Amino acid sequence: MLGFLFEVIRPFGFRVAGLFVAGIVWAIDLSARPYVLKMMVDRIPKTNANEVFHELGSLALLYLGMALFLRFCFMFYDFVWLHFNPPLKRHVGIILMDKMTLHSLSFYQDHFAGNLANKMKDVMSGIPDLFRLFINHFFAHTLALTVAIMTLWY
């Protein structure tokens, strides 16, 4: 099955890389922004009331910049996904149809055409969902956990 997944995704290398980059940015941001907030809170007791904006302004701008950058990364992720999902489904359909033409006539006599079409439709819609699930929930969350452990260790 992994061989089939890699065969299907191979033509979409840049789009796949874009989705992974967005996942990496999210995972880093999940620990980095709270750390910047921690730095701001740590500086508050040491700061004179007249110098609050001078001392905390750069960290506040960094925090806002990181939030804005994350928003743009999510927009980039959505843009890449919208240009990745339909062509991926079409590509999977083409590969499946090519594989279906290799079967003998007796195979089609033993299997219902509607059943085969439903299985193909399920695979065509399942591959992008499986890939998105892998990036969003497995890769990004595992990386976020790793970054959080490293941040806490530091």
Side-chain angles (χ1 to χ4, degrees):
M1 183 167 162
L2 286 176
F4 179 73
L5 286 174
F6 288 128
E7 175 188 349
V8 166
I9 291 173
R10 187 175 300 136
F12 304 101
F14 288 116
R15 295 173 188 160
V16 170
L19 295 173
F20 275 107
V21 166
I24 290 169
V25 168
W26 174 81
I28 292 171
D29 182 75
L30 195 63
S31 292
R33 271 198 298 164
Y35 186 74
V36 170
L37 196 60
K38 176 222 174 279
M39 290 172 40
M40 289 173 65
V41 170
D42 287 346
R43 284 191 185 181
I44 288 174
K46 301 173 188 174
T47 304
N48 187 357
N50 297 331
E51 299 175 358
V52 170
F53 290 113
H54 178 66
E55 288 290 324
L56 300 178
S58 60
L59 289 174
L61 286 176
L62 176 64
Y63 185 85
L64 291 174
M66 290 172 73
L68 188 63
F69 182 68
L70 183 66
R71 174 55 49 203
F72 283 125
C73 281
F74 282 153
M75 290 170 58
F76 173 73
Y77 178 88
D78 289 340
F79 176 79
V80 171
W81 182 255
L82 288 174
H83 287 85
F84 173 66
N85 189 22
L88 178 63
K89 285 182 179 181
R90 184 178 67 241
H91 185 65
V92 169
I94 290 170
I95 289 174
L96 290 175
M97 284 304 295
D98 288 344
K99 291 186 185 293
M100 292 298 285
T101 59
L102 300 176
H103 290 292
S104 65
L105 180 61
S106 63
F107 175 80
Y108 292 107
Q109 290 174 343
D110 294 338
H111 295 89
F112 292 116
N115 186 20
L116 293 174
N118 281 335
K119 286 181 182 181
M120 285 180 55
K121 181 183 69 83
D122 290 343
V123 171
M124 286 174 58
S125 64
I127 294 290
D129 293 341
L130 180 67
F131 189 70
R132 191 171 196 176
L133 185 73
F134 173 76
I135 289 178
N136 290 352
H137 294 286
F138 180 73
F139 173 74
H141 283 86
T142 304
L143 186 62
L145 178 65
T146 304
V147 170
I149 290 171
M150 290 173 44
T151 303
L152 288 173
W153 187 269
Y154 173 73

